[in-house]
Structure formats: C-alpha cells, structure tokens
Amino acid sequence: MDLGLSGHVVAVTAASRGIGAAVARQFAAEGATALAASRTAPSVADAAPGRILPVKLDLADAEATERFVPDVVAEHGRLDVLVVNTAGPKLGPFLDFTDADWSAAYDLLLRPAVQLARAGARQMVEQGGGTIVFLTSTWVRQPAPGGVLSSSFRSAIVAMAKQLAAEVAPAGVRVVQVMPGATGTDRMRNIVASKSAANGTSEDDEIGKIVKDIPLGRWGSAEEIASSITFLASPRSSFTTGASLVVDGGAVRSLP
C-alpha cells in the first residue's frame, strides 16, 4: 500500500536505534525524507542514503531542543511529520526516588516533549497541516514494577497530546500517540538483564515471565511498532486525531 508519504519531511527524535531507528527507516522506505535525530550521528542513515539524514540532537540540551524544529524548517522548508520519541528514565520503587531523580526524569521525558510539540505544532498550523506522533508506553494504562517515573511523565504526555489534538485540529494538524508494549529493543534487553541479575534467574526465564502475559505469545519488534506509527502519520489515516493506539500483542486488558 502506498501511504502517500513521498516527498514528506519527517523528523524522528531518539532515532539512533530501536523503535526510533525503525520509524526513520520505514518513512524513508515510503519515499519521505527522514531526519533521524540523536545525540550522535545515527548509523541508521546508512540504511537509505539520501533519504535518512542524521541530525545531532541531545534532548537533555534544552536550547538545542528548542532550536530543532526551526532548524529543520530553515533547511527543508517545512515539517510534515514530527515523531516525538524520548529515552526511558531510571527504574525503581517510588520510595527510592529523590526530588533530583524526578527532576532528571522530567528533563528526559516531559520537557523535551513539550518543547518539540510546541514548535512542531506552531509550524504545522502556519503551513496548514501536519501530524505529530508521540511515543509513550502501555505503562500509562497498566503500571509495571519500577516504572513510576516513566508512567508518571508519559501520562502527562498522553494528556497533553489529547489537549493539543483538539486545539490544532481546525488548522488541519493531527496529533496521535502510540503506546508500545514489550518490544525487543536494547532497553528491554537491559531491563531483562537487570531482572535476571537481581532475581538470580536466566534471561530466558525473565523473558518467559513477560511473554506469558502477552496473548500473542511473544514480544513485539521495533519494526511492528514503526509500521503503526508510519500508518497513523500518513494521509491514509487522515481522519484520525486525538487517538491513542496500543500496540502490545493484547497485553493490556483494560477497556479504553
């Protein structure tokens, strides 16, 4: 299926690997110019020379994050899709985290999401259209042990996305979010390794504990999450805004 993304300018943050890299690759495969932003020049650019353009962006740098969208527009003339992806914060019990831990998680997750969304939405309203996609997590729907920092700030992003969607829809700008479940990324493998070390179990045992709660019987791939994002951001999904899509193999059982 042609998603109608040829010639679009797409920016993806935290795109050096994992889901972000897979998203950049899929947009490039659809004929878009994908700007893959990360702290270092992402190797994902080698996958589609000329269509994936590496951009250095450290989301921990507030000034650089504020300049990101204007710099993209200055070079490429517009921004059709902005995929707001951020790194995950520390894991641990609520009672173990200090104010400094909460501040660090804010700077990692919520502050850059606000900055990027504000700049992206302003540009898209001005140009008369565009799509913003937030990557959050199923943890905002179904809390997981140790995930309080992630679920708290990603929940704020969920609320912000819903509010923003209503405000910018009259200008032809769509805002959606995708909530990935367990996905075979480096971060998930690191979580598995940590649990294995803490529990004195094998990594296969820890993977088994995760997979047993997924009706499809496995965890997802970065490419599967990216496919959902690419479709939602495309003209093929032009009547969808303010929506939250859970992509988790059926693990979240709660009603919408």
Side-chain angles (χ1 to χ4, degrees), residues 131-186:
T131 305
I132 298 173
V133 183
F134 292 96
L135 264 76
T136 57
S137 169
T138 55
W139 287 5
V140 306
R141 295 276 297 276
Q142 188 164 292
V148 63
L149 295 178
S150 177
S151 61
S152 296
F153 286 113
R154 293 195 197 280
S155 292
I157 293 173
V158 170
M160 177 178 68
K162 194 73 173 179
Q163 182 71 36
L164 180 60
E167 292 184 9
V168 299
V173 180
R174 297 189 299 115
V175 181
V176 295
Q177 61 150 326
V178 173
M179 299 178 178
T183 308
T185 61
D186 288 346

Side-chain angles (χ1 to χ4, degrees), residues 24 52 61 80 98 110 114 120 126 135 142-143 145-146 193 215 231 252-253 256:
I52 300 182
D61 184 336
D80 299 293
T98 65
L110 184 55
V114 171
E126 181 179 333
L135 264 76
Q142 188 164 292
F231 175 75
V252 173
R253 278 29 173 232

Side-chain angles (χ1 to χ4, degrees), residues 56 101 139 144 209:
K56 289 191 68 173
D101 292 321
W139 287 5
K209 293 177 185 177

